Amino acid sequence: MFRNQYDTDVTTWSPAGRLFQVEYAMEAVKQGSAAIGLRSKTHVVLGCVNKANSELSSHQKKIFKVDDHIGVAIAGLTADGRVLSRYMRNECINYSFTYESPLPVGRLVVQLADKAQVCTQRSWKRPYGVGLLVAGLDESGAHLYYNCPSGNYFEYQAFAIGSRSQAAKTYLERRFESFSDASRDDLVKDALMAIRETLQGETLKSSVCTVAVVGVGEPFHILDQGTVQQMIDAFEIVAEQEGPAAEPDADAGQEASAEPEPEQGAAAGEGVAPMDI
């Protein structure tokens, strides 16, 4: 993106009907470290990539608890994310004090979107440069929303934002139909797999990712590194066991295909691993 005469003010429209400063804020979300969310009927899982500025520094916190039934994962400017998460926390406290019941997730998301929209219509303000994945559980079930710097919000079954998030989206699009009835552990597994897709060859370890869960009978909480590492190790073992198991099938398929009988060749073709076809 290049500077032009229509991006000096957030309230200035371009002839093409665009607000460039809002688009720049959305670009800041794409530059942030990846954040991932997916939900079933009873649980919502959030995951993010921990990215440090240098080997000598700690990573920025990307997942925040808002209430016992709501949490957020962010991508973009972490400072803006902290401000918005504190706003959401105050709204939950005020609602709980007034009505003695937890704030519905959808209502909080609308309030957050309205707050973001105001910054696109005031010349002395700038849009928030952060995207939020809001995970929550209320009387109507589990919810996963994405709040955009433009003030738009969308509800998803699964979604990924941030840098290299397209690889995670591709993985989630292949698997999302099974999420609705998935168990808690299966959701965590798919979240870790999606995070691994964004690492582009880097080894998945508990030190490079954070995972949080909220669900029925389970308040929002961030899983400790030991638990996450155990799950990663279990998944890697399963992957290693499935890999060598496919090789004998492929060898059997090649031996059978060399025989002249057509019936044996057809039977052998059914046993060939998909990656060898």
Side-chain angles (χ1 to χ4, degrees):
M1 293 184 179
F2 296 97
R3 181 178 178 84
N4 59 67
Q5 59 183 323
Y6 299 106
D7 67 354
T8 57
D9 199 307
V10 72
T11 59
T12 302
W13 291 96
S14 75
R18 298 163 63 182
L19 293 172
F20 285 105
Q21 285 201 12
V22 176
E23 294 182 13
Y24 297 163
M26 295 169 68
E27 189 66 24
V29 177
K30 296 178 183 178
Q31 299 298 327
S33 56
I36 292 161
L38 54 160
R39 69 177 174 92
S40 66
K41 292 179 180 178
T42 57
H43 289 81
V44 189
V45 175
L46 294 177
C48 70
V49 176
N50 299 334
K51 186 166 63 174
N53 292 329
S54 72
E55 295 181 358
L56 301 177
S57 68
S58 62
H59 64 270
Q60 290 277 7
K61 187 178 180 181
K62 296 288 186 179
I63 295 182
F64 301 95
K65 179 179 179 180
V66 176
D67 202 348
D68 284 340
H69 66 298
I70 297 177
V72 296
I74 66 171
L77 293 180
T78 309
D80 286 4
R82 286 201 310 270
V83 170
L84 290 178
S85 64
R86 185 167 63 245
Y87 165 78
M88 297 169 70
R89 202 171 291 127
N90 289 334
E91 290 298 313
C92 286
I93 292 173
N94 293 336
Y95 187 94
S96 178
F97 179 80
T98 305
Y99 300 103
E100 297 184 355
S101 63
L103 176 60
V105 184
R107 182 175 299 185
L108 178 62
V109 168
V110 171
Q111 292 175 353
L112 182 63
D114 290 343
K115 185 177 179 65
Q117 191 277 335
V118 169
C119 294
T120 69
Q121 210 170 0
R122 301 287 187 272
S123 60
W124 60 91
K125 294 185 177 182
R126 66 161 175 82
Y128 290 104
V130 65
L132 295 95
L133 290 176
V134 183
L137 185 75
D138 55 25
E139 294 179 351
S140 60
H143 301 280
L144 175 67
Y145 290 92
Y146 169 56
N147 275 80
C148 183
S150 64
N152 288 325
Y153 64 93
F154 309 91
E155 185 169 11
Y156 287 94
Q157 184 74 39
F159 197 56
I161 58 176
S163 62
R164 298 196 292 267
S165 61
Q166 186 56 51
K169 288 180 186 177
T170 302
Y171 174 83
L172 295 173
E173 287 169 358
R174 292 200 308 264
R175 300 272 300 166
F176 81 95
E177 292 181 353
S178 64
F179 292 163
S180 181
D181 298 319
S183 65
R184 173 190 181 275
D185 289 343
D186 288 339
L187 280 183
V188 174
K189 175 184 176 182
D190 283 315
L192 291 171
M193 292 294 196
I195 291 173
R196 188 174 66 177
E197 294 293 321
T198 69
L199 298 178
Q200 290 188 341
E202 184 181 346
T203 303
L204 177 64
K205 299 179 292 186
S206 61
S207 59
V208 300
C209 66
T210 302
V211 179
V213 182
V214 62
V216 176
E218 186 175 10
F220 184 88
H221 67 286
I222 297 175
L223 301 182
D224 60 82
Q225 283 195 0
T227 303
V228 174
Q229 188 60 51
Q230 289 178 1
M231 292 184 171
I232 292 174
D233 294 340
F235 301 152
E236 294 294 333
I237 290 172
V238 170
E240 290 174 1
Q241 289 177 346
E242 290 177 350
E247 295 178 1
D249 292 339
D251 295 339
Q254 292 174 358
E255 294 175 359
S257 60
E259 297 180 3
E261 290 88 347
E263 294 181 358
Q264 293 179 355
E270 295 176 0
V272 178
M275 66 182 69
D276 296 329
I277 293 177

